[in-house]
Amino acid sequence: MADLKFEVTRNPNPKPDAEREEIIKAPVFGANLTDHQVVVVWEKDKGWHSAQVIPYGPILMDPSAAVLHYGQEIFEGIKAYRHQDGSIWTFRPEANAKRLQKSAHRMALPELPTEIFIESLRQLIAVDGAWVPEPVDEKTLYIRPFEIAAENFLGVRAAHRAEFRVIASPVGPYFTGGLKPVSIWIALDSARAGKHGTGEAKTGGNYAASLLAQNEGYENGCSQVMFLDAETSTYIEELGGMNLFFVYKDGHVATPSLDGTILRGITRDSVVQLIKDRGLKIEERKITLDEVKSGITAGEIVEVFACGTAAVITPIGEFKSREGTIGFADAKPGELTSSLRAELTGIQYGTVADRHGWMHKLAD
Ligand code: PLP
Ligand code: COI
């Protein structure tokens, strides 16, 4: 299985160089896709087989395909970074491979071996490397590996056929304002995930569950939604697509603990490590909404930031809900937020020493 060979079919009509260059100069998150995609098929009686790189294009799918009805789907998000010498790297791909396996387990999908996951990234970059932007203004190639139940059958059970695919899109900053602190809407009337549910899996349904509150957030000038625990609406969990950190006046930092309902963010894990490396105290614990509201108001909490592959490290300026607004008077990103962000992106772009061995070369 680990020696699965990839068959490569080049796109006969790739985007012309000039058009591609135009796109990667000012990329919009997720709006343009590269020229190729990876496909690997799994069947219950055959395991993983038929690994291919093929031209980017639509999936021909039977209307009875299980994923369309029962949402058996998982995905990952990982980026490719171009370094100054032109080489192309990615960040902690084993961690994404492991998380995809955990998500697969939860959603009763087959677990893709780590070597196939990493080889699929290498294969895509081998044909689409020209799509990785120059290392300026937070530009990268966002890679979206995903797995779907691809059996044509309406019975409700784990599918006997699945497909793993990888697509990629050149991106700039996730939030259009760049490093400007964002406004967050607090979901008081809807939850994203409950105890023993699928919150820890990176599965489409969690995101679908977040969109009603996100629409409410947009209507109120917010760019993301913060979810609370489903049981008591007391504890802070995470944003629709990012983890959260709170910086206190005395210099310590806190982030919600991983209790099974939130995503085990790879950026979160890396930020925890970078904070430890600085000798600062980091607490992974339950954090109540009340603590955050009173902490910001009293000046005990001095910075809040969100983090994730897409968002990198994004400062938060205020929290809004139907009960009111609490925020920071200063419209600038906080000091620790900015310096962690500079350190993390420096490691990713190869300008800061990679002392934890997080970077993985995909192409020279
Ligand atoms: N939480 C959710 C719900 C997410 O979708 C993401 C993004 O992937 C994260 C947190 C951050 O995870 P990571 O840092 O691994 O991208
Ligand atoms: C990512 O950061 O990879 C995500 O999946 C989050 C989403 C907001 C794009």
Side-chain angles (χ1 to χ4, degrees):
M1 190 187 299
D3 56 5
L4 202 62
K5 290 270 177 297
F6 281 72
E7 190 183 297
V8 180
T9 307
R10 287 263 180 179
N11 190 334
N13 298 303
K15 270 256 192 297
D17 290 352
E19 236 179 276
R20 186 190 63 241
E21 287 306 319
E22 218 32 57
I23 291 170
I24 68 176
K25 240 190 268 163
V28 177
F29 191 93
N32 292 281
L33 285 302
T34 64
D35 294 314
H36 298 86
Q37 61 183 317
V38 167
V39 190
V40 189
V41 176
W42 176 89
E43 285 172 286
K44 196 167 191 265
D45 54 350
K46 290 194 189 141
W48 291 101
H49 65 89
S50 306
Q52 280 185 287
V53 178
I54 58 172
Y56 187 86
I59 300 177
L60 185 63
M61 196 175 264
D62 193 276
S64 71
V67 65
L68 300 177
H69 303 271
Y70 310 124
Q72 211 191 350
E73 184 268 359
I74 55 174
F75 67 96
E76 270 305 321
I78 185 166
K79 283 174 169 173
Y81 307 85
R82 188 178 294 285
H83 285 187
Q84 282 303 342
D85 66 358
S87 59
I88 300 171
W89 299 68
T90 193
F91 184 71
R92 305 187 67 182
E94 297 85 3
N96 290 85
K98 291 254 146 31
R99 187 170 65 188
L100 187 74
Q101 289 156 10
K102 285 188 74 173
S103 299
H105 177 75
R106 180 63 185 86
M107 303 309 291
L109 279 163
E111 293 178 35
L112 184 82
T114 301
E115 317 85 80
I116 301 179
F117 180 89
I118 295 177
E119 180 59 14
S120 73
L121 305 181
R122 218 189 53 75
Q123 291 282 341
L124 191 67
I125 292 301
V127 291
D128 280 339
W131 284 89
V132 183
E134 290 303 313
V136 286
D137 303 333
E138 218 183 271
K139 282 182 221 158
T140 58
L141 184 69
Y142 181 79
I143 306 177
R144 172 54 62 84
F146 63 105
E147 203 180 309
I148 53 174
E151 183 185 359
N152 306 330
F153 178 58
L154 290 181
V156 183
R157 60 150 169 74
H160 292 175
R161 184 178 187 282
E163 284 179 11
F164 169 72
R165 289 183 183 247
V166 187
I167 57 174
S169 163
V171 299
Y174 188 72
F175 296 109
T176 42
L179 242 198
K180 207 168 113 256
V182 296
S183 302
I184 301 297
W185 182 249
I186 308 173
L188 296 177
D189 309 306
S190 76
R192 174 187 171 275
K195 192 174 171 188
H196 301 315
T198 60
E200 213 178 66
K202 206 161 164 57
T203 183
N206 292 339
Y207 297 80
S210 77
L211 299 180
L212 183 61
Q214 187 172 302
N215 277 347
E216 214 174 72
Y218 288 159
E219 283 159 21
N220 287 279
C222 296
S223 35
Q224 274 276 306
V225 173
M226 180 169 81
F227 290 94
L228 306 173
D229 75 286
E231 223 163 314
T232 68
S233 299
T234 307
Y235 301 104
I236 287 174
E237 299 225 307
E238 62 177 328
L239 303 187
M242 289 142 222
N243 294 115
L244 283 164
F245 283 77
F246 301 89
V247 184
Y248 289 72
K249 193 172 66 184
D250 68 3
H252 87 276
V253 184
T255 188
S257 38
L258 302 170
D259 294 333
T261 50
I262 69 175
L263 197 75
R264 291 174 171 266
I266 293 157
T267 319
R268 176 193 180 282
D269 187 69
S270 311
V271 167
V272 165
Q273 185 62 52
L274 295 180
I275 291 171
K276 284 183 185 162
D277 292 352
R278 289 170 183 226
L280 296 175
K281 186 169 148 205
I282 169 80
E283 296 174 339
E284 296 184 59
R285 62 170 169 88
K286 285 191 181 298
I287 300 170
T288 64
L289 177 59
D290 281 349
E291 174 184 343
V292 167
K293 281 181 172 171
S294 59
I296 294 176
T297 308
E300 285 300 317
I301 294 177
V302 291
E303 299 178 35
V304 184
F305 64 85
C307 71
T309 300
V312 194
I313 290 179
T314 297
I316 291 175
E318 61 181 6
F319 292 98
K320 287 187 182 179
S321 74
R322 56 174 154 74
E323 293 174 349
T325 300
I326 289 157
F328 300 104
D330 201 344
K332 291 203 305 284
E335 219 174 285
L336 186 64
T337 306
S338 304
S339 86
L340 285 170
R341 191 191 137 80
E343 185 177 7
L344 180 65
T345 52
I347 294 169
Q348 292 168 334
Y349 285 115
T351 57
V352 168
D354 175 23
R355 58 185 183 280
H356 294 291
W358 284 337
M359 300 309 290
H360 181 108
K361 200 183 229 187
L362 292 175
D364 284 318

